[in-house]
Amino acid sequence: MVRPPTARSAVPGVGRLGLLEPSAAASLHELGWDNVESIPVLWALSRAPDADLALNTLVKLRERMENDWAALDSAIRAETALRGRLFALLGSSSAFADHLVVDPAAWQILRRKELPSRDELIADLLDAVRAVPEEGPNAGPLLFRAGESGPEVVALLRKRYRDQLLLLAALDLAATVENEPVLAYQVVGRHLTALADAALTAALSVAVARVCKDGPVPVRLAVIAMGKSGACELNYVSDVDVVFVAEPADATATRLAAEMMSVASAAYFEVDAALRPEGKAGALVRTLDSHVAYYKRWARTWEFQALLKNRPMTGDLELGQQYKDALMPMVWTASERPDFVADVQAMRRRVEDLVPADMRERELKLGHGSLRDVEFAVQLLQLVHGRVDESLHVQGTVEALTALAAGGYIGRDDAANLTASYEFLRLLEHRLQLQRLRRTHTLPASDDEEGMRWLARAAHIRPDGRQDAVGVLAAEIRRNAVRVRRLHAKLFYRPLLESVVKLEPEALRLSPDAAVRQLAALGYQAPEHALGHLEALTRGVSRKGRIQALLLPTLLEWLGETPNPDAGLLAYRRVSEGLGDQTWFLRELRDEGAIAQRLMIVLGSSEYLPDLLINAPDTIRMYADGPGGPLLLSPQPEDVARGIMTAAARYNDPKRAVGAARSLRRHELARVASADLLGMLDVEQVCRALSSVWVAVLEASLAAVIRASEAELGAPAPADFAVIGMGRLGGKELGYGSDADVLFVCDPRPGEDETKAVKWAISVADKVQKLLGAPSTDPPLLVDAGLRPEGRNGALVRTLAAYDAYYQQWAQSWEVQALLRAHQVAGDQRLGVRFLHVIDKVRYPAGGVSAEAVREIRRIKARIDAERLPRNANPATHTKLGRGGLADIEWTVQLMQLRYAHDVLGLHNTSTLESLNVIEETKLLDPSDVALLRDAWLTATKARNALVLVRGKPADQLPGPGRLLSAVARVAGWPNDDGSEFLDHYMRVTRRAKAVVERVFGQ
């Protein structure tokens, strides 16, 4: 027998209502709502952001109200608007829930249909302390004297303030539960600001009563709103930034200001006066003249940025207006200051650094794609263009976006989209703060599904048919963050591009003057030239021009963050024109964000790389990321070396063979320099890679010359030939600006005439030098044999026996020292090794070098220190010959090798760093001293390489403070653009190393 289906109850159960608490059914029964008559109430309750919180609070209210509950229950059933406000408020804010439980009669406030005016708010807060207008010579429309000024006033003011905040929050939230009007963001912000004005007016009245008990107020005191309060866009829970102006700024004025802050901070919100001149270290109260003098002489750019939002708030409004009138002209000329760009960039970095990396995606105020991003960009545009356009003299962010669009500085669609994103993020911020009436800007964690569900409901976000409310909220957060992240390109660069190329019939076009102003504010030193580059890049109606116009806003944004955006833009133009027939180039930039961003960093930081990239364009493709990480790190030095050798071996003509080797060297230099500049390689990896490619080119060139010679002779070569690397080449520690120091050695083959063999070897060595040293667009390939016996006066090539005889009889101390870096690098491997065995007896003599030789080395070192430093060079910052520089460290290591290598086989090593490791392991020096030497060598090498990358030519002298030093610091891996900090660090490291050098040489 089939049972008939049970009729479904018309009264929804707790499950259908979304109530999760086990006591929910009992609570509904207790309230008398588990019946048909209460169905509208139940469904309204289910729409509360947290229905369980709302229900639990209603139960507590019923218990507290006793006989008065019937009136509230009746109102809930009869008044839809009240029901919506009450349920939305109780389900959104545990703080307001507690407020109502403590004072149940306050529910009557929610019956009010509209918000009170500013004057009503002031009157209500003043009524709480029975304030009356102040009399006397300094009386004004917003100066009052409280009738109540004892400790009880804090509780009285807090109650009135919370009641007013309760009404606003209820009206703001009501639409989440019932079909009530939605309060616009600007309405909420302005009302919160008006409430803050009223609150501080009442707090000032208490201060007057406490400080000026015996007579009228003897001073004029103006309270100036700053920040969000000044802009009339306060949050529900926010510090209120203020500045005080007084005439005179005496002890009474200071006591009034301090007392007002104390009362307000205890009753309502934190009052912060840190934006005053000199910050918290400055006087709390100043006269108008003192403020003006400070801003004329001492203020930083960010302080003028803060002044954008100043507004007379309460107290002496006439004095407040005088303050505003005196300072605003300085605000609108701040963009002309020489440090404008540097200050703005520094402020932006400081803001970003405030947020831990793992919180940036959750931080609504300071994270990536956050509220501060919008505010910062809008304020910067106001500062740039407000000097000549008074329509931009507004304070609110939304008002400023509207004015910028109306004035043609940003597109109307961009302004509308950014306004929507800004208001959405502010809505989420308000909802998060209402929950517990705490100052917060942090979204729930991604795995906090309950928190995200509550936030979605509180923000009136509903499922869209494909995703639930949480999914819709997460998608909206991502979408708006991405849109805001692109605001810099949209706000700053799109108008610039549209000024030089018509993208659409109605495209926004800045005037030439406005475009130049905007470029100057973004860090371009020659904005007129930059504008010319933009015109050249986007000229014509070709597809390339259109793609450039689409790419350039973002590319210019990234260039603007580099040390030299002017040079970077010029380099980008040169690269674009040089690769004009390469269809892949713009496509890669468009489709691979990593390539485009890394290319802009490289071009805006280095004069060394642009020519290399033009001649080795495939390197740009390697700026992408592969499955195993950046493609720039994929090639291994040994693979590159084999490739160079193989490519050169295909040609019989030495010129073509060397050309092939140089071409691959060019690619490898571009790859290594790019990876270095982008922070992907450390110093040791760079030096090894550069040394490896140099050795490969030498090997390939020598082999090509010998092949051609043998073909010309019609017989095998008359001698074996080897190239011995010296100096940094021998130690595999080459930098970008290093020459290849070498010795050429030959050994006649059996039956060959020695004279003819040596003559042949000299011709080979000479040919190799000339081929490699031939002019080219590449960085030079100088093969220097100046360390050979008798220097440049000696034979270019000697036989192995001749070297042996010379070093046994005539070797001077400096030559023995030079041999410590000798290593076989090219040519006949066996001959090279035999040469090393010959010189081992000289450079590692039994028992160590003589005391006389050590004295000679010390004498030569002292002479070099005194005479070799170039004229006008700074000995503290010369990376090679300066105090604690490369020469100091290398000479110290070599002295230790000369003295101890006979006993410590690990010192039979041509690498400075590896030898330092051995010195540390064998305790020849204290480990702390070795650490200082190692740190100095790495620091100086990194700085020297950075100098070449930035300047595009070999250099050893660090520049003084300025743009060039900041660029070197950035490329050398310093964490910020403060070149002075980098220089201080360099001098500190090398100074400590120099102390070790002097101890070693003094032993």
Side-chain angles (χ1 to χ4, degrees):
M1 176 178 173
V2 178
R3 295 179 181 275
T6 303
R8 188 175 185 180
S9 171
V11 180
V14 292
R16 292 174 64 195
L17 294 173
L19 294 165
L20 303 177
E21 290 285 342
S23 59
S27 296
L28 291 175
H29 181 73
E30 184 180 345
L31 294 174
W33 288 359
D34 54 349
N35 49 58
V36 173
E37 293 78 12
S38 303
I39 289 176
V41 174
L42 294 173
W43 285 121
L45 179 66
S46 75
R47 293 189 291 270
D50 186 338
D52 285 295
L53 174 63
L55 178 59
N56 290 340
T57 305
L58 288 162
V59 170
K60 292 176 184 177
L61 276 173
R62 183 182 181 282
E63 292 171 355
R64 286 294 305 274
M65 296 177 76
E66 297 179 350
N67 295 333
D68 294 332
W69 166 253
L72 175 57
D73 181 64
S74 175
I76 289 172
R77 295 174 183 278
E79 300 175 31
T80 303
L82 170 70
R83 183 166 68 219
R85 294 168 200 159
L86 179 64
F87 288 1
L89 185 72
L90 298 182
S92 298
S93 175
S94 59
F96 279 125
D98 293 342
H99 181 74
L100 277 173
V101 170
V102 171
D103 181 18
W107 74 267
Q108 296 281 0
I109 296 170
L110 303 183
R111 281 182 149 165
R112 179 161 181 157
K113 295 181 179 179
E114 59 276 317
L115 293 169
S117 67
R118 183 174 186 273
D119 289 343
E120 288 178 286
L121 291 172
I122 293 173
D124 186 51
L125 269 293
L126 290 172
D127 178 67
V129 291
R130 298 192 300 106
V132 297
E134 173 65 354
E135 298 178 350
N138 295 317
L142 281 184
L143 188 63
F144 296 84
R145 179 182 292 271
E148 301 281 349
S149 59
E152 72 281 357
V153 297
V154 168
L156 295 171
L157 290 172
R158 183 186 295 120
K159 171 67 170 61
R160 290 292 179 94
Y161 178 79
R162 284 289 177 93
D163 283 349
Q164 292 291 353
L165 204 59
L166 175 113
L167 173 61
L168 172 63
L171 291 170
D172 189 14
L173 291 161
T176 64
V177 171
E178 298 289 2
N179 187 23
E180 290 293 295
V182 175
L183 289 187
Y185 154 73
Q186 286 175 287
V187 171
V188 175
R190 286 171 184 159
H191 191 77
L192 286 166
T193 304
L195 182 54
D197 289 359
L200 290 190
T201 301
L204 181 58
S205 75
V206 175
V208 167
R210 289 179 177 179
V211 175
C212 304
K213 298 177 181 178
D214 301 327
V217 176
V219 298
R220 300 176 67 193
L221 178 68
V223 183
I224 310 296
M226 304 286 282
K228 284 186 170 63
S229 178
C232 296
E233 50 190 23
L234 267 180
N235 297 330
Y236 277 98
V237 184
S238 176
D239 290 353
V240 173
D241 296 306
V242 298
V243 169
F244 296 103
V245 191
E247 300 291 347
D250 58 10
T252 299
T254 301
R255 287 179 60 204
L256 281 170
E259 194 66 39
M260 185 205 83
M261 290 177 65
S262 175
V263 171
S265 295
Y268 325 117
F269 40 68
E270 191 69 29
V271 180
D272 191 346
L275 290 178
R276 65 185 183 267
E278 300 179 74
K280 293 182 179 179
L284 180 62
V285 176
R286 287 176 181 251
T287 64
L288 178 57
D289 287 344
S290 176
H291 277 283
V292 171
Y294 173 82
Y295 283 103
K296 280 184 176 179
R297 294 192 60 189
W298 307 111
R300 300 284 299 276
T301 301
W302 71 264
E303 293 179 279
F304 290 108
Q305 191 174 345
L307 278 176
L308 268 174
K309 296 185 180 296
N310 86 83
R311 175 181 63 86
M313 183 183 202
T314 191
D316 193 315
L317 296 183
E318 183 181 350
L319 179 59
Q321 190 60 45
Q322 291 171 2
Y323 171 91
K324 186 178 181 71
D325 293 342
L327 295 183
M328 287 309 290
M330 288 186 258
V331 170
W332 301 120
T333 57
S335 63
E336 300 171 4
R337 294 159 61 94
D339 59 352
F340 177 76
V341 173
D343 274 355
V344 167
Q345 291 174 339
M347 174 60 108
R348 188 180 186 193
R349 282 194 301 274
R350 279 198 297 272
V351 168
E352 291 173 348
D353 290 344
L354 289 173
V355 185
D358 60 339
M359 292 293 290
R360 286 176 186 162
E361 298 302 319
R362 294 174 54 198
E363 177 56 59
L364 289 171
K365 181 178 180 181
L366 303 176
H368 293 309
S370 66
L371 294 164
R372 187 57 57 86
D373 281 344
V374 180
E375 293 163 353
F376 181 91
V378 167
Q379 290 165 26
L380 184 54
L381 278 174
Q382 284 182 275
L383 288 171
V384 170
H385 300 296
R387 177 171 59 88
V388 294
D389 189 345
E390 292 189 3
S391 70
L392 302 181
H393 295 192
V394 296
Q395 291 159 317
T397 302
V398 172
E399 292 86 348
L401 277 167
T402 302
L404 286 165
Y409 302 104
I410 60 175
R412 292 185 184 276
D413 286 346
D414 293 339
N417 287 334
L418 278 163
T419 298
S421 289
Y422 184 73
E423 292 185 355
F424 173 74
L425 295 176
R426 289 300 299 270
L427 172 67
L428 297 185
E429 183 184 40
H430 283 177
R431 295 300 179 260
L432 289 166
Q433 292 179 346
L434 279 173
Q435 193 172 26
R436 295 180 180 83
L437 278 188
R438 290 180 184 171
R439 187 182 179 208
T440 182
H441 319 281
T442 306
L443 290 166
S446 57
D447 59 353
D448 182 3
E449 190 169 340
E450 184 179 341
M452 288 292 284
R453 183 177 294 109
W454 167 83
L455 180 59
R457 292 167 67 91
H460 204 191
I461 289 174
R462 297 290 184 257
D464 63 0
R466 292 172 299 172
Q467 301 180 94
D468 62 9
V470 173
V472 174
L473 173 62
E476 280 297 294
I477 291 171
R478 285 193 300 271
R479 185 176 70 85
N480 283 280
V482 168
R483 187 157 66 181
V484 172
R485 281 174 194 158
R486 297 207 308 261
L487 75 92
H488 203 264
K490 281 287 187 181
L491 291 189
F492 291 106
Y493 296 107
R494 189 68 179 188
L496 291 171
L497 267 294
E498 289 168 344
S499 297
V500 297
V501 58
K502 271 284 191 182
L503 296 176
E504 301 170 9
E506 301 303 319
L508 166 71
R509 293 173 68 84
L510 290 177
S511 69
D513 286 346
V516 166
R517 281 199 308 273
Q518 195 146 307
L519 281 164
L522 293 165
Y524 289 85
Q525 300 295 300
E528 297 88 353
H529 294 164
L531 203 58
H533 297 323
L534 299 184
E535 291 172 347
L537 285 163
T538 56
R539 187 176 292 130
V541 294
S542 67
R543 186 169 182 272
K544 283 193 302 182
R546 290 196 301 273
I547 294 175
Q548 287 281 22
L550 294 171
L551 286 172
L552 276 163
T554 303
L555 301 185
L556 285 169
E557 176 191 7
W558 288 327
L559 270 180
E561 296 173 354
T562 65
N564 194 342
D566 293 83
L569 182 55
L570 172 59
Y572 177 66
R573 177 181 173 182
R574 289 177 54 224
V575 170
S576 294
E577 292 172 350
L579 303 181
D581 59 345
Q582 304 284 332
T583 58
W584 60 267
F585 174 62
L586 291 178
R587 184 176 66 247
E588 292 282 5
L589 296 190
R590 182 192 64 198
D591 299 339
E592 292 284 348
I595 292 180
Q597 185 169 17
R598 287 166 178 166
L599 180 61
M600 294 308 105
I601 293 171
V602 164
L603 296 181
S605 305
S606 172
E607 292 187 26
Y608 179 83
L609 271 161
D611 286 332
L612 280 175
L613 293 175
I614 290 171
N615 292 300
D618 283 346
T619 308
I620 295 172
R621 296 179 189 265
M622 301 179 75
Y623 285 14
D625 288 319
L631 296 180
L632 285 169
L633 300 182
S634 297
Q636 298 302 309
E638 54 272 18
D639 297 330
V640 174
R642 277 195 298 271
I644 291 173
M645 293 292 297
T646 302
R650 296 192 183 104
Y651 301 99
N652 293 321
D653 181 1
K655 286 186 179 180
R656 297 187 68 187
V658 171
R662 293 188 69 154
S663 174
L664 291 177
R665 171 183 180 265
R666 187 163 56 236
H667 281 270
E668 181 65 355
L669 283 180
R671 181 192 73 83
V672 172
S674 297
D676 183 10
L677 193 145
L678 293 167
M680 299 175 184
L681 294 175
D682 61 29
V683 175
E684 295 177 72
Q685 291 171 315
V686 169
C687 291
R688 280 197 298 272
L690 294 176
S691 301
S692 175
V693 73
W694 239 121
V695 167
V697 171
L698 264 175
E699 183 76 76
S701 303
L702 177 61
V705 171
I706 291 175
R707 281 198 311 273
S709 175
E710 289 179 328
E712 184 179 341
L713 291 172
D720 295 326
F721 191 100
V723 181
I724 307 300
M726 303 289 284
R728 289 188 174 80
L729 177 61
K732 297 183 180 179
E733 294 170 341
L734 285 178
Y736 298 107
S738 301
D739 296 340
D741 291 312
V742 300
L743 297 178
F744 296 115
V745 58
C746 71
D747 191 32
R749 289 176 176 171
E752 297 288 349
D753 180 75
E754 182 174 317
T755 302
K756 289 182 179 179
V758 172
K759 185 177 180 181
W760 171 84
I762 290 173
S763 71
V764 168
D766 185 61
K767 183 77 169 177
V768 169
Q769 283 185 308
K770 287 180 178 177
L771 284 172
L772 291 177
S776 169
T777 56
D778 301 344
L781 279 153
L782 299 178
V783 179
D784 189 348
L787 292 176
R788 63 186 184 266
E790 302 178 66
R792 301 192 185 281
N793 295 322
L796 181 60
V797 185
R798 292 180 182 236
T799 66
L800 180 61
Y803 274 112
D804 190 10
Y806 177 86
Y807 286 131
Q808 291 294 336
Q809 296 183 55
W810 308 109
Q812 300 179 48
S813 297
W814 70 266
E815 291 178 300
V816 174
Q817 184 179 348
L819 288 175
L820 291 170
R821 308 293 294 276
H823 191 75
Q824 194 277 332
V825 295
D828 189 278
Q829 181 78 18
R830 288 176 297 177
L831 176 58
V833 172
R834 287 166 59 203
F835 176 87
L836 297 183
H837 285 313
V838 164
I839 64 171
D840 278 353
K841 295 177 290 186
V842 179
R843 58 181 176 175
Y844 309 131
V849 294
S850 66
E852 181 182 350
V854 171
R855 284 195 296 272
E856 177 65 9
I857 289 170
R858 288 172 177 159
R859 185 190 66 78
I860 296 172
K861 177 72 169 65
R863 183 177 175 186
I864 288 175
D865 288 347
E867 299 176 5
R868 288 280 301 279
L869 200 67
R871 180 180 294 181
N872 298 325
N874 183 346
T877 56
H878 195 277
T879 59
K880 182 178 180 181
L881 300 173
R883 180 190 67 199
L886 294 172
D888 266 351
I889 310 306
E890 289 164 1
W891 276 66
T892 303
V893 169
Q894 289 158 21
L895 179 58
M896 299 294 290
Q897 288 177 296
L898 289 170
R899 296 177 69 179
Y900 302 110
H902 68 283
D903 197 34
V904 180
L905 293 181
L907 290 177
H908 293 197
N909 197 314
T910 59
S911 164
T912 302
L913 287 179
E914 291 176 11
S915 296
L916 278 171
N917 292 339
V918 174
I919 290 170
E920 182 176 23
E921 290 166 7
T922 54
K923 296 184 171 53
L924 294 176
L925 284 179
D926 186 277
S928 61
D929 286 345
V930 175
L932 292 174
L933 294 174
R934 183 186 295 112
D935 193 15
W937 191 92
L938 291 170
T939 300
T941 302
K942 189 181 295 185
R944 194 176 188 224
N945 282 344
L947 274 168
V948 179
L949 289 176
V950 170
R951 300 185 63 184
K953 56 187 178 182
D956 296 309
Q957 177 67 63
L958 287 174
R963 192 175 185 128
L964 180 58
L965 178 62
S966 295
V968 171
R970 176 97 70 95
V971 172
W974 195 246
N976 58 49
D977 288 340
D978 193 331
S980 296
E981 279 187 16
F982 168 75
L983 199 61
D984 289 344
H985 171 76
Y986 177 89
M987 290 193 291
R988 181 168 58 253
V989 168
T990 52
R991 183 175 63 248
R992 291 172 177 171
K994 183 65 174 180
V996 178
V997 172
E998 290 174 344
R999 283 201 301 275
V1000 172
F1001 270 84
Q1003 290 174 354

